[in-house]
Amino acid sequence: MAIKPEDRIKQIEKMAKALGDKNRLVILQTIAEKGCVNCTEFTEVINLAQPSVSHHIKILVDSGLINSDKEGRFVKLCINRENIEEFNAFLNDINKF
């Protein structure tokens, strides 16, 4: 089923907003570099309290940039490659004009 153009724009907007914070960029970059990461690892990477880290991760998950899978009492975070590719395709489409 094809995605409606207005739904695609809404998804791109959510991803762009999520990328508008340096802490979220660091989280995203860390996940990309390591493959998949345990949620608790970010308090060492970013100098933020656990509730703040959780807030940023929630925004990244809600935007579709990362996936979260619960494994026991831990949450494993991975890049959502499909949505990252969609975001890149959107930027490439703009670049054509």
Side-chain angles (χ1 to χ4, degrees):
M1 182 174 168
I3 297 174
K4 296 180 199 174
E6 61 269 12
D7 291 340
R8 180 180 186 225
I9 293 295
K10 285 180 185 177
Q11 183 63 33
I12 297 296
E13 177 187 24
K14 284 178 92 173
M15 288 188 276
K17 284 182 178 180
L19 293 172
D21 182 273
K22 77 172 188 159
N23 292 312
R24 291 192 287 271
L25 290 173
V26 169
I27 291 169
L28 194 63
Q29 182 179 22
T30 302
I31 296 170
E33 289 171 354
K34 294 186 176 192
C36 291
V37 177
N38 185 317
C39 187
T40 58
E41 292 179 44
F42 287 108
T43 52
E44 292 113 31
V45 175
I46 302 172
N47 192 22
L48 292 174
Q50 182 61 44
S52 294
V53 172
S54 294
H55 170 74
H56 288 300
I57 288 171
K58 180 181 180 340
I59 290 171
L60 289 168
V61 169
D62 289 347
S63 73
L65 289 167
I66 61 174
N67 295 321
S68 68
D69 295 310
K70 191 161 181 155
E71 292 184 350
R73 53 179 219 193
F74 298 103
V75 177
K76 184 173 103 178
L77 305 167
C78 301
I79 295 290
N80 184 332
R81 301 225 178 262
E82 184 179 323
N83 282 350
I84 297 285
E85 288 172 11
E86 181 65 29
F87 191 80
N88 283 334
F90 176 79
L91 294 176
N92 286 330
D93 288 347
I94 290 173
N95 197 33
K96 292 177 185 175
F97 296 107

